[in-house]
Amino acid sequence: MSTRYPVAADRYDAFRSWLWSQGDAVLREAHASPETELEIQARWFGGEFGRTFTGIDGEEIRIVQFGHWNRAAGPDFTEAAVEIDGELKTGPVEIDLHAKHWESHGHGENREFDEVVLHVFTDAPSLHRFFTRTSDHRRVCQLQLPQYAWSQGPPDFLPEAFPGRCVAPLSAMTDEEVESLLLAAAQYRLRRKSARLGVMKEASSLGQSMFQAVAEALGFRQNKTAMSVLAQRCPIRSLLALDEPDREARLFGAAGFLDQETFSEARDPASRTYLRDLWDRWWKMRDEVEPSATRRIPWRFAGNRPVNHPQRRVGALASIVNDWESFSAVWQVRVNNLEKIVNNSVNKLSHPYWERHYTLRSDISDSPLRLVGKDRCRDLLGNVIFPGLVGVEPDLWDEYRALRNVDTNQKLRRAALRLFGKDAKRQKLFTSYYHQQQGLLQIYRDFCLEDASGCEHCPFPEQLAQWSGKSSSVAI
């Protein structure tokens, strides 16, 4: 079965939009954003939300220059350029999770915030208006990111990890019908990722958008945002202007990994030698790169496999930067067999220290360690390379479909259980390829999500007949 890209994505998009329209509108309960303020700032600075918006009072807002990420106290971004109703304003931009945080964080009385030209937030009071004002009571233009308006998107269907009501209708569908559903959801997911990279490219450059995406893919789920922030604070253009050893020192220093405690606890002679070389280079540039204590990158160390320690991820990123010319060729020049080319590029990566150490202060390992494992390589292909190229080369869809699966994870197992119950045969059949796994995750995101009470009100099970064509009541 061959399906052109993105035809199936359009069908899935129409299906999910129609399905949501069948439910009754309900008032959502207020709840905190699952993202941290740092994550929102990183997505904003990376251009992921776009450049044109409508303000709270209907202002036409265009971001001309995102500015500089502030490493010290004060507003989040300085020297930004924002066009508001045609008038260009230059100054800081502040980003909060809630409009009221401007006051609760003390910005309204802090003169360091008097020059802010735009207050961006994800949430705001629903029953009354909250105004952002400076210490001299100047009103600051407000922007609530439209992506966080709770009136948009599907209802909150949040079932737990047990077989759902969709198991029965899915079991009645043929393998070809289930595959068509997963394929369409995978196309939709791929198109979303491609669009995200597109707006990031418009906000910065092709090289920087891909560099940030590569860093995110290396960070795994726990440190995706941390690696994204690191890539933003150390742009690829500035790294390539340095000598190779200085690039590495800049990355590890900006990550916050070069401190006296790390050096004093390093026991292995190779670790101490490596740290000393990094420090000798870092101290010369630290004043222009090192963030203040309150703006350090919040790395997550717990729960990681030893080979996935954040410091090893930064080491892998440094190695990719040092081979950037050949690594970036895959999205600059059309090549045949992307999977083979990327695998070869990744397998060639080497580092004398990180091939034998788990952290900056660990003893030498008993056996060699790969800088980038097979699953990370597959994620680089699925989350970076193919999304970055398929928007301009739709024919790559068939090559994307040929990608084999990656190791399962908790979310994927949960999704497979929700949709296929305990049918091990179908679980295996429909998780054998990368696009099938991505399709499962997209459906789970759209209609199940996570950690809630039940799925009795979800319209997805009943409407599956519309997808398989076994009901003629509604045409999609």
Side-chain angles (χ1 to χ4, degrees):
M1 178 177 60
S2 178
T3 304
R4 290 186 298 111
Y5 177 88
V7 175
D10 291 335
R11 186 187 177 200
Y12 180 79
D13 192 9
F15 176 69
R16 67 201 287 271
S17 297
W18 172 83
L19 193 152
W20 290 340
S21 71
Q22 303 308 297
D24 295 329
V26 296
L27 180 63
R28 290 170 177 264
E29 294 183 4
H31 59 280
S33 169
E35 295 175 281
T36 65
E37 190 170 298
L38 182 66
E39 288 173 308
I40 301 298
Q41 292 170 3
R43 295 178 66 189
W44 167 269
F45 192 63
E48 186 174 338
F49 297 120
R51 303 183 78 114
T52 58
F53 307 93
T54 299
I56 291 293
D57 291 314
E59 305 97 330
E60 294 182 1
I61 300 173
R62 184 171 73 91
I63 308 302
V64 179
Q65 171 57 254
F66 286 90
H68 303 284
W69 201 325
N70 188 10
R71 296 183 293 114
D76 296 316
F77 300 96
T78 62
E79 300 177 52
V82 183
E83 195 175 85
I84 303 176
D85 285 338
E87 180 183 355
L88 184 65
K89 298 177 180 282
T90 59
V93 172
E94 176 66 10
I95 297 180
D96 290 312
L97 291 180
H98 197 287
K100 286 188 173 182
H101 288 178
W102 178 273
E103 291 298 335
S104 62
H105 293 173
H107 304 333
E109 301 298 329
N110 189 338
R111 293 191 177 277
E112 291 186 1
F113 289 78
D114 282 354
E115 303 304 317
V116 168
V117 296
L118 184 65
H119 183 209
V120 182
F121 43 84
T122 62
D123 202 4
S126 58
L127 299 179
H128 62 276
R129 174 69 187 276
F130 177 86
F131 292 90
T132 301
R133 54 95 189 179
T134 63
S135 65
D136 56 0
H137 289 272
R138 178 181 64 85
R139 188 176 69 83
V140 179
C141 181
Q142 295 176 306
L143 167 61
Q144 181 178 16
L145 292 172
Q147 293 86 348
Y148 292 87
W150 299 119
S151 59
Q152 299 179 0
D156 289 328
F157 305 132
L158 302 172
E160 296 174 349
F162 51 82
R165 293 189 304 111
C166 50
V167 171
L170 280 169
S171 64
M173 293 169 64
T174 66
D175 289 349
E176 290 74 16
E177 289 169 340
V178 175
E179 171 64 17
S180 75
L181 175 63
L182 295 179
L183 182 148
Q187 270 199 10
Y188 177 81
R189 190 175 180 90
L190 178 63
R191 187 168 65 177
R192 290 281 296 268
K193 292 178 180 179
S194 179
R196 176 183 180 244
L197 287 175
V199 295
M200 289 168 62
K201 173 186 172 183
E202 291 298 321
S204 53
S205 67
L206 173 61
Q208 178 59 25
S209 64
M210 297 300 274
F211 176 57
Q212 181 179 329
V214 167
E216 290 177 354
L218 291 177
F220 295 79
R221 178 176 57 85
Q222 296 94 328
N223 286 297
K224 175 182 176 181
T225 297
M227 289 291 285
S228 176
V229 172
L230 179 62
Q232 291 174 346
R233 293 182 178 179
C234 299
I236 185 62
R237 184 176 179 180
S238 64
L239 289 173
L240 294 178
L242 303 173
D243 293 335
E244 288 189 7
D246 286 342
R247 297 170 187 168
E248 203 162 335
R250 189 182 184 102
L251 283 167
F252 276 100
F257 292 146
L258 300 181
D259 52 35
Q260 181 59 42
E261 181 182 1
T262 300
F263 185 81
S264 62
E265 294 184 6
R267 300 180 299 272
D268 180 54
S271 297
R272 297 181 70 84
T273 299
Y274 179 54
L275 278 166
R276 173 58 65 188
D277 181 64
L278 289 175
W279 176 258
D280 287 344
R281 298 174 183 278
W282 166 244
W283 74 267
K284 301 174 184 177
M285 64 180 83
R286 64 182 298 190
D287 287 343
E288 59 186 79
V289 181
E290 188 175 43
S292 66
T294 58
R295 295 189 182 274
R296 288 177 180 169
I297 298 176
W299 298 97
R300 298 181 180 178
F301 300 98
N304 287 314
R305 295 178 181 176
V307 292
N308 297 340
H309 192 282
Q311 292 172 355
R312 293 200 81 246
R313 300 300 89 214
V314 175
L317 184 62
S319 297
I320 289 176
V321 172
N322 289 336
D323 193 37
W324 191 250
E325 182 176 355
S326 62
F327 192 86
S328 61
V330 295
W331 60 76
Q332 295 175 345
V333 180
R334 180 66 175 97
V335 297
N336 294 321
N337 199 335
L338 270 176
E339 183 177 11
K340 180 179 179 181
I341 297 297
V342 173
N343 282 337
N344 288 341
S345 296
V346 168
N347 289 336
K348 287 192 303 182
L349 295 175
S350 62
H351 194 286
Y353 181 83
W354 290 111
E355 288 176 349
R356 299 306 299 259
H357 291 82
Y358 291 105
T359 71
L360 284 168
R361 57 192 184 194
S362 68
D363 293 333
I364 192 169
S365 67
D366 295 331
S367 57
L369 309 169
R370 290 189 62 178
L371 282 178
V372 180
K374 181 179 66 174
D375 284 346
R376 280 306 92 197
C377 187
R378 191 61 46 82
D379 264 4
L380 283 171
L381 282 161
N383 290 322
V384 183
I385 308 301
F386 277 103
L389 293 177
V390 75
V392 294
E393 298 184 43
D395 290 345
L396 285 173
W397 164 249
D398 288 332
E399 196 172 326
Y400 175 85
R401 281 188 62 193
L403 290 176
R404 300 295 296 187
N405 68 335
V406 296
D407 284 348
T408 187
N409 54 47
Q410 185 180 32
K411 183 178 290 186
L412 185 61
R413 288 192 296 270
R414 190 178 301 167
L417 178 62
R418 290 296 296 161
L419 271 66
F420 303 122
K422 297 182 180 180
D423 188 339
K425 181 180 178 181
R426 273 204 158 182
Q427 285 194 21
K428 182 178 180 180
L429 177 64
F430 293 119
T431 56
S432 297
Y433 286 87
Y434 187 81
H435 78 272
Q436 293 174 324
Q437 295 182 337
Q438 292 294 297
L440 270 176
L441 291 173
Q442 186 63 44
I443 293 171
Y444 187 70
R445 175 188 176 118
D446 285 337
F447 303 110
C448 303
L449 299 184
E450 301 180 56
D451 305 324
S453 56
C455 64
E456 62 271 17
H457 300 300
C458 176
F460 184 64
E462 284 76 17
Q463 305 307 331
L464 276 170
Q466 308 301 334
W467 185 273
S468 64
K470 294 178 180 179
S471 171
S472 58
S473 60
V474 178
I476 305 299

